[in-house]
Amino acid sequence: NAGVTQTPKFQVLKTGQSMTLQCAQDMNHEYMSWYRQDPGMGLRLIHYSVGAGITDQGEVPNGYNVSRSTTEDFPLRLLSAAPSQTSVYFCASSRTGPGAEAFFGQGTRLTVV
Amino acid sequence: GQQLNQSPQSMFIQEGEDVSMNCTSSSIFNTWLWYKQDPGEGPVLLIALYKAGELTSNGRLTAQFGITRKDSFLNISASIPSDVGIYFCAGGTSYGKLTFGQGTILTVHP
């Protein structure tokens, strides 16, 4: 079972470059989300989606865009990378409704120089 | 936004000792989840709690959903070296949105 798959696992960008972090899930979950993890701050929600065609902002959305054209895929786009976006990014998926346990990918470690 | 206060921030214990950590919030959650993260990996779900007052066990792990729906605790009994990692609590809403605590770093000395 693949679960949640994120690519790439590691990435180095120069300031100002753009890129897309990929996320795919094969559990037919309605809900998908992106988090960033910084030391001592836990995981913070960037954007989320409750279904294909529906996205919304989380706690720290600035500098990121998302779209949800299919149930399976939820890419995260960095428009113009900044050093403050150096972090570990996690994608998660879950069913909606009560008891919606989130399942996480293995993460993308991004460094912006 | 909603915030979860997780404590302690770190723990250094001897193998065989019991561990307790907790999360409190100013907001009510419908679900409380506890995750463990190993280095270089994504968080993995340990226990999910759905009802206020619920007490759930998973092997050596026991977690409870507070009566007020604003807190939860996780206990680990008879710790072993592979319990090392970062433990996160997360509060969930009805549509799946999660708010995470800052994490508890657990170190177990053999």
Side-chain angles (χ1 to χ4, degrees), chain B residues 12-94:
Chain B
F12 299 85
I13 63 171
Q14 293 291 329
E15 183 177 358
E17 290 184 355
D18 296 341
V19 172
S20 184
M21 58 191 78
N22 68 83
C23 273
T24 61
S25 171
S26 58
S27 303
I28 290 174
F29 290 104
N30 295 326
T31 308
W32 280 93
L33 308 173
W34 284 92
Y35 287 87
K36 178 177 183 257
Q37 185 179 28
D38 292 324
E41 302 290 331
V44 174
L45 183 68
L46 297 174
I47 290 180
L49 302 159
Y50 309 116
K51 297 180 182 178
E54 179 181 1
L55 184 70
T56 297
S57 294
N58 179 8
R60 294 179 295 107
L61 277 60
T62 302
Q64 184 158 29
F65 192 149
I67 288 291
T68 64
R69 294 165 63 193
K70 294 183 178 180
D71 62 324
S72 178
F73 72 75
L74 174 71
N75 288 339
I76 306 172
S77 63
S79 59
I80 59 178
S82 62
D83 290 334
V84 166
I86 306 176
Y87 291 79
F88 291 99
C89 63
T93 63
S94 58

Side-chain angles (χ1 to χ4, degrees), chain A residues 6-78:
Chain A
Q6 288 183 238
T7 56
K9 285 188 167 50
F10 301 94
Q11 183 71 50
V12 178
L13 290 178
K14 293 182 179 178
T15 298
Q17 286 185 315
S18 62
M19 78 159 294
T20 299
L21 279 62
Q22 302 292 343
C23 176
Q25 54 95 3
D26 61 359
M27 298 173 281
N28 201 31
H29 285 165
E30 305 95 333
Y31 184 88
M32 296 186 72
S33 52
W34 277 100
Y35 294 85
R36 60 177 287 172
Q37 183 177 27
D38 301 298
M41 300 188 72
L43 286 83
R44 293 183 292 168
L45 183 64
I46 303 172
H47 285 285
Y48 65 97
S49 168
V50 298
I54 306 170
T55 64
D56 205 348
Q57 296 180 349
E59 180 185 355
V60 287
N62 292 341
Y64 308 94
N65 271 358
V66 292
S67 60
R68 184 94 177 270
S69 56
T70 67
T71 299
E72 294 79 17
D73 300 298
F74 190 44
L76 177 73
R77 282 182 286 278
L78 278 70

